[in-house]
Amino acid sequence: MKRFLYLLLAIVTLVSLAGVGCGPTPTPTAPPPKPAEPTKPPTLAPTPVPPKEVTFSYASIQTTATMDPAKHTDETTSFIVMNLYDPLLYPVKGGPPKPHLAESWTVSPDGLTYTFKLKKGVKFHDGTEMTADDVVFSMDRVIKMGKGFAWLWKGILPVGNTKALDANTVEFKLSKPHSPFLASMVQLFPVNKKLLMANKKDGAYGEFGDYGEDYLNKNDTGQGAYKIETYKPGEQIVFRKFDGYWRGWKPNQIDKAIFRIVPEQATSKLMLQKGELDMIEQWLDPALFEELKKSPGVVVKEDPNVQLFYLTLNAKRPPLDNVDVRRAISWAFDYETATKQIFLGAAQAVGPVPLLMPGHNDKTPMYKRDVAKAKELAAKAGIKAGTKLSYVYVQGLESERKIGLLLQSNLKEIGFDVEIQELPWARIVEIAAKPETAAHMIAIFHTAKYPSPDSHTFLMFHPDAWGTYMSASFYKNDQATKFMEQARAEVDVNKSLDLYKQVQPIFADEAAALFVANPLHRIAYRDWVKGYEFYGVMGFDLSWYNLTIEKK
Amino acid sequence: MRYRDYLARRLLTIIPAFIGLSILIFVIARVIPGDAARLALGPEATKDQVEQLRHEMGLDLPLHIQYIRYVEEVFHGKLGRSLYTHRDVAEDLAAYLPATLELTTVAMLLAVLVGVPLGVITAMRKDKWEDHGGRLYALSGVSIPRFWIGILLQLILAYRLGWLPTTGRFDGNLPPPAQITGFYLVDSLVSANWTALGITVRYLILPSFVLALSPIAQIMRVVRACMIEQVRKGYVLNAMANGMPQNLLVYKYMLKNAFIATLTIIGLLYGFFLAGAFVVESVFSWPGMARYGVRALIYKDFNAVVGVTLAVGLAYAIINFVIDVLYGYLDPRIRLGYKER
């Protein structure tokens, strides 16, 4: 019985604790006479959601950062922008982009002037019609603000060189020929000039004030299929379909899309299995996708990603300045274990350009594990047992850690002692900027952001591009440099792609980097979600407009 | 010096401590390795772009000038722009801090309301089965990882049984209570929105319970130790000899004396969980400040790092001040002792 007494005591304590605090002035805490309870029936409840509305929820680990189409960089910010705004051109899986807001275009013979005809009757969310003026304004805005995808156009398209010829024609005058320019139009999302200028604040851009930056932190000014209903960065974003969308609407398309931030992978997996979510993002651990494959009602879609996983080989740092050493490493590495055991079903990389990228050269020579050959090359280069090499990978990335261990055991056989170092991403970005600070090898995932092989050649191996983590090989080959410059200058799309094709075998032959894999792109959704397609350009697969919900 | 003056002095010492903290974190946030501007602009940004942003953020200026500029901004109610959310850090904190404060406060209340009685019971029943059970709980409560227990409870209570929501702070399909203070409990009470209150409570149960598990254990152990110490005191023997009812003796007199050390622990724990709720916030997708702070650290979002640190520092200072006041209430010797000197 005494035990029960103690339990009772526990409850008593709640009351007596209040008394404990009362020291000097024991104010009587008699409750004031309460007026009769207001007899309000609890009908203040929010109005129920109207029936038949098609809703969809998607979850990601990543917090949202912005919905300004001059500032998006990563996948989350990209797909948010892509649902609110439409680009001039739209990516096509494995090919050059197709018309979208721009219905046709011409390129001058010197490759400097691009003229786009815009579609008529495209309406912004406030009902006004989009014109060439908005496109001009948007392009200058991106370049002047210098954030997001401004790097696509900085140094190629000076501010003021974009002109509206009439209400529906826009002209871009480049300062030098640049064939990836066309592909870069998938990243130009026109904003509503009038609306932004009406809401501008004081800022660094003269007559344009802050370029509407502050306004776009909380609002959208798009012409895309969806508009913002609620925006709570760090928690959730609700998209509502825009009735005046220029492509029109069909039944079963999504009326309301909820993007939730769920930072714990195990939790979002549970929510998908329970049906609380309709789709979860690609960044889940591969093992979790394997588990989801066994869940009833869940589809795990796998596509070869337009992404290269590679290790930079710092050619400015001995012994990697010797091409034979780089080749020896390439022959010694166990690609099969990497693709099958570590990436769980990736394809071995064929040179730097991913398999699904337009302009990929499938005749690029590949390395396979051949220890005898590797030993022979290492001996030829005079490598002594115990030669130290450094390998750096991103803190917390399990696959990169495993690659490091594999590399360590593979290279030990040919006399190298690999030191594995885990660094935060911020630090890697910093050390990769200079040959002296960059490690011998750095593990990198490089994803396509615009459909051109330029990103996987020029940005990795042209001396002008040195200083980013992608180019931490500091590799230079005069012939390759010349080819890449010619490819950028070539107006004819196919000829330009041919030049990019010619350059790929050079990088493979000289082992400019250790090309490991094109990992799989995986995404999981409920089986009632139809129409999902992977485009190979970051973010476009998450355009809600392409999806339909077909529940029984 | 009177006690009141002592408290006033304590209050004033917050100011230099705060300035010191701000200088320290301001410098640390800027000198830790990693190029913030390059990171914020994304992988492909050109050198020009990086320089442009560095200039915009004032990163090209000497550190002391940067600090002076920052202090100027603070006096205008701004905490500098976050590199990642592109908003002023003060705005970000206003959005995230209430969620964390609400969760932490509820969890700490829970911890006190459960931990203190448990501590008393285990002390009074020293070396009996209640005490052994308490010891076992204390050991597991402190050592079981919170993310594990969180996911386990989600699996059972939310996924299998469907009694409670899995994640979040409020039902995504319904409008949250009218924004008054940012604390959903307070807001829904003030606006008499009982549906919203019910939903808020349902969403609070799991995360606050998981967060409270380890403080319950810690508070329980401290209360137990202090209570056992009290048992040996003369006044207890005296009261017992005079036939004072045991409940009155235990809860009115002994607990009051034993509570001082517990208060200290509560103050420390509260501050700790304000910044340390990260794991629970992640598991339950709680849109709070701890998660925001960790993200800021990873991306080297220096203004956000400084902002979060100052917010936590301020909360610490205020809580500890409140606890100083409570000391005086609980122990007249502390309060009156100052008069004599």
Side-chain angles (χ1 to χ4, degrees):
Chain A
M1 277 319 284
K2 248 188 171 176
R3 291 167 199 166
F4 285 104
L5 208 96
Y6 280 117
L7 279 176
L8 229 146
L9 280 186
I11 301 158
V12 172
T13 320
L14 312 189
V15 188
S16 57
L17 250 177
V20 165
C22 293
T25 45
T27 41
T29 46
K34 266 192 185 160
E37 280 287 329
T39 45
K40 244 182 213 166
T43 43
L44 285 168
T47 44
V49 187
K52 270 181 135 189
E53 187 181 64
V54 183
T55 61
F56 168 84
S57 17
Y58 169 84
S60 162
I61 296 177
Q62 202 170 25
T63 336
T64 55
T66 181
M67 50 175 170
D68 186 333
K71 289 203 246 174
H72 63 291
T73 47
D74 53 25
E75 185 184 49
T76 309
T77 47
S78 290
F79 85 71
I80 291 170
V81 164
M82 284 157 190
N83 279 299
L84 303 174
Y85 299 83
D86 273 6
L88 286 203
L89 302 182
Y90 211 81
V92 172
K93 196 174 177 174
K98 64 178 184 190
H100 200 68
L101 285 184
E103 50 186 15
S104 65
W105 59 87
T106 53
V107 188
S108 68
D110 59 2
L112 289 176
T113 311
Y114 286 73
T115 314
F116 290 85
K117 275 268 176 231
L118 302 178
K119 204 164 229 92
K120 283 178 192 158
V122 173
K123 287 211 165 59
F124 282 117
H125 294 163
D126 65 349
T128 56
E129 195 163 327
M130 187 187 84
T131 67
D133 248 0
D134 296 307
V135 178
V136 174
F137 175 81
S138 306
M139 182 52 117
D140 286 349
R141 182 173 182 269
V142 174
I143 299 172
K144 267 204 235 167
M145 281 171 51
K147 304 200 172 92
F149 278 86
W151 55 270
L152 281 172
W153 303 299
K154 272 216 158 187
I156 300 154
L157 181 67
V159 173
N161 274 21
T162 311
K163 290 198 180 79
L165 299 185
D166 61 49
N168 292 299
T169 314
V170 116
E171 179 194 87
F172 301 92
K173 250 201 167 74
L174 310 188
S175 55
K176 58 182 175 205
H178 184 69
S179 60
F181 182 76
L182 203 61
S184 76
M185 285 295 108
V186 306
Q187 291 290 0
L188 181 62
F189 300 90
V191 292
N192 187 337
K193 179 183 177 183
K194 277 201 201 87
L195 191 58
L196 272 193
M197 283 303 93
N199 288 292
K200 71 177 177 190
K201 291 198 170 156
D202 288 345
Y205 307 105
E207 55 166 320
F208 299 109
D210 69 341
Y211 252 130
E213 213 178 333
D214 192 61
Y215 184 75
L216 279 186
N217 274 340
K218 292 165 198 116
N219 306 280
D220 82 78
T221 66
Q223 66 293 81
Y226 292 88
K227 40 188 190 177
I228 285 287
E229 187 167 280
T230 36
Y231 181 68
K232 288 193 174 177
E235 193 175 350
Q236 69 171 15
I237 298 183
V238 180
F239 299 83
R240 170 70 59 183
K241 99 176 184 190
F242 169 47
D243 291 321
Y245 186 50
W246 62 277
R247 282 198 282 174
W249 292 95
K250 294 186 296 290
N252 291 334
Q253 276 184 300
I254 295 159
D255 296 316
K256 178 184 176 185
I258 304 168
F259 164 43
R260 298 187 55 180
I261 292 123
V262 181
E264 177 56 49
Q265 296 191 338
T267 310
S268 53
K269 190 192 119 209
L270 270 183
M271 292 168 78
L272 182 73
Q273 287 172 322
K274 203 181 160 190
E276 268 181 51
L277 289 172
D278 298 295
M279 188 182 272
I280 43 176
E281 63 170 356
Q282 59 154 320
W283 307 106
L284 233 52
D285 195 65
L288 287 182
F289 279 114
E290 292 302 312
E291 284 177 43
L292 278 174
K293 279 183 189 169
K294 294 176 205 133
S295 286
V298 174
V299 178
V300 176
K301 177 103 164 39
E302 295 181 329
D303 291 278
N305 202 351
V306 186
Q307 180 188 53
L308 172 71
F309 174 76
Y310 68 109
L311 311 187
T312 60
L313 298 175
N314 186 346
K316 293 262 182 219
R317 207 166 157 182
L320 296 186
D321 53 345
N322 184 339
V323 65
D324 285 330
V325 176
R326 297 201 302 267
R327 283 181 184 139
I329 291 172
S330 300
W331 286 114
F333 190 72
D334 184 354
Y335 301 91
E336 190 151 328
T337 305
T339 51
K340 298 227 168 87
Q341 310 287 324
I342 297 175
F343 288 113
L344 299 179
Q348 186 184 335
V350 182
V353 177
L355 301 168
L356 276 188
M357 177 78 100
H360 167 75
N361 183 348
D362 52 13
K363 305 218 164 50
T364 306
M366 286 164 78
Y367 293 86
K368 60 178 193 303
R369 183 161 158 80
D370 185 338
V371 182
K373 212 172 207 166
K375 274 187 179 154
E376 188 187 312
L377 282 165
K380 188 177 151 201
I383 297 298
K384 292 189 196 77
T387 307
K388 289 211 184 323
L389 285 180
S390 50
Y391 168 81
V392 167
Y393 74 97
V394 181
Q395 205 163 41
L397 275 191
E398 187 55 18
S399 55
E400 293 190 350
R401 189 184 68 86
K402 288 182 187 161
I403 289 283
L405 294 174
L406 177 67
L407 186 75
Q408 197 174 43
S409 82
N410 289 160
L411 295 195
K412 199 165 185 84
E413 294 174 56
I414 60 170
F416 289 108
D417 183 5
V418 176
E419 285 170 349
I420 299 176
Q421 199 187 2
E422 182 185 32
L423 286 181
W425 181 235
R427 181 74 186 130
I428 292 184
V429 169
E430 197 173 63
I431 63 164
K434 290 194 201 97
E436 309 84 63
T437 51
H440 285 112
M441 298 174 271
I442 305 176
I444 301 290
F445 284 98
H446 179 17
T447 313
K449 276 100 183 175
Y450 57 102
S452 160
D454 191 71
S455 70
H456 284 74
T457 49
F458 199 99
L459 296 185
M460 287 166 65
F461 300 122
H462 194 286
D464 287 354
W466 289 2
T468 76
Y469 69 82
M470 287 173 285
S471 54
S473 283
F474 300 99
Y475 168 83
K476 190 171 171 236
N477 174 305
D478 291 336
Q479 198 194 2
T481 307
K482 209 178 81 196
F483 276 142
M484 288 188 286
E485 282 165 3
Q486 282 173 353
R488 275 196 165 189
E490 178 57 58
V491 183
D492 186 309
V493 176
N494 290 321
K495 279 187 193 156
S496 167
L497 290 183
D498 274 344
L499 284 160
Y500 283 119
K501 279 182 187 169
Q502 285 184 43
V503 80
Q504 294 163 40
I506 302 178
F507 300 137
D509 175 55
E510 296 211 325
L514 182 63
F515 307 112
V516 180
N518 295 159
L520 280 180
H521 176 279
R522 296 179 176 89
I523 196 158
Y525 46 85
R526 300 299 306 201
D527 53 6
W528 56 67
V529 177
K530 308 283 180 200
Y532 175 83
E533 196 189 344
F534 178 65
Y535 286 90
V537 178
M538 192 173 70
F540 277 98
D541 59 321
L542 299 171
S543 283
W544 316 136
Y545 183 81
N546 299 332
L547 306 177
T548 52
I549 304 292
E550 279 154 40
K551 282 188 192 175
K552 278 169 205 157
Chain B
M1 188 172 63
R2 305 180 60 173
Y3 185 59
R4 206 180 51 203
D5 300 337
Y6 162 73
L7 286 183
R9 189 179 280 192
R10 283 279 291 133
L11 201 58
L12 285 177
T13 53
I14 293 179
I15 297 168
F18 208 61
I19 294 173
L21 176 69
S22 73
I23 293 177
L24 196 68
I25 190 65
F26 188 88
V27 173
I28 291 175
R30 275 162 177 76
V31 299
I32 47 171
D35 186 340
R38 172 157 279 291
L39 206 65
L41 284 168
E44 289 88 356
T46 61
K47 279 179 197 144
D48 276 12
Q49 271 175 276
V50 177
E51 280 315 308
Q52 188 183 341
L53 186 67
R54 287 178 66 80
H55 181 70
E56 244 175 65
M57 306 292 298
L59 285 173
D60 48 355
L61 298 170
L63 260 182
H64 62 279
I65 305 277
Q66 287 187 42
Y67 183 73
I68 292 168
R69 278 189 163 197
Y70 182 78
V71 173
E72 277 172 14
E73 281 211 341
V74 171
F75 279 106
H76 286 99
K78 289 182 176 172
L79 290 171
R81 196 168 267 260
S82 155
L83 279 173
Y84 192 71
T85 65
H86 306 278
R87 299 196 298 181
D88 194 85
V89 172
E91 253 178 88
D92 281 345
L93 287 183
Y96 296 122
L97 191 59
T100 293
L101 276 179
E102 187 168 68
L103 176 65
T104 317
T105 309
V106 170
M108 284 313 290
L109 272 177
L110 197 67
V112 171
L113 292 183
V114 178
V116 172
L118 279 181
V120 173
I121 291 169
T122 48
M124 293 298 108
R125 305 279 298 165
K126 188 165 172 283
D127 294 330
K128 301 274 167 35
W129 69 266
E130 290 93 334
D131 191 26
H132 296 312
R135 199 172 287 132
L136 187 72
Y137 169 72
L139 198 66
S140 42
V142 173
S143 55
I144 290 178
R146 265 170 282 159
F147 68 86
W148 183 80
I149 201 90
I151 292 174
L152 193 75
L153 288 175
Q154 272 180 346
L155 198 66
I156 298 169
L157 293 176
Y159 181 58
R160 291 251 184 268
L161 300 174
W163 291 349
L164 293 168
T166 339
T167 58
R169 195 179 170 206
F170 205 79
D171 192 330
N173 292 314
L174 298 173
Q179 179 94 13
I180 302 165
T181 57
F183 298 91
Y184 284 4
L185 282 178
V186 179
D187 288 356
S188 51
L189 273 175
V190 169
S191 56
N193 187 345
W194 309 122
T195 323
L197 183 67
I199 296 172
T200 307
V201 171
R202 267 169 60 79
Y203 275 83
L204 258 170
I205 293 174
L206 270 187
S208 58
F209 176 70
V210 171
L211 193 61
L213 279 177
S214 121
I216 286 176
Q218 293 175 47
I219 290 173
M220 178 179 90
R221 292 306 281 177
V222 173
V223 170
R224 179 185 174 275
C226 296
M227 286 296 281
I228 287 173
E229 207 175 292
Q230 295 297 323
V231 173
R232 296 189 211 109
K233 296 265 169 79
Y235 78 93
V236 175
L237 192 68
N238 185 28
M240 274 161 73
N242 282 305
M244 183 186 276
Q246 198 189 4
N247 290 352
L248 188 66
L249 173 63
V250 168
Y251 286 98
K252 178 97 198 271
Y253 294 98
M254 288 167 70
L255 183 58
K256 193 170 169 182
N257 284 323
F259 209 67
I260 302 236
T262 317
L263 258 188
T264 316
I265 286 284
I266 292 171
L268 288 174
L269 284 176
Y270 194 93
F272 176 74
F273 280 111
L274 220 47
F278 169 69
V279 173
V280 172
E281 288 189 359
S282 289
V283 170
F284 292 98
S285 313
W286 195 263
M289 190 190 65
R291 241 171 76 203
Y292 174 76
V294 170
R295 192 206 41 72
L297 273 177
I298 293 172
Y299 287 95
K300 216 193 162 214
D301 189 350
F302 51 86
N303 279 334
V305 170
V306 175
V308 169
T309 312
L310 292 184
V312 173
L314 190 65
Y316 244 113
I318 291 173
I319 289 161
N320 280 299
F321 176 74
V322 170
I323 281 176
D324 274 345
V325 175
L326 285 178
Y327 281 157
Y329 271 107
L330 283 181
D331 190 346
R333 284 171 301 179
I334 296 179
R335 181 165 21 109
L336 303 171
Y338 283 94
K339 241 178 216 169
E340 291 158 14
R341 261 175 248 158

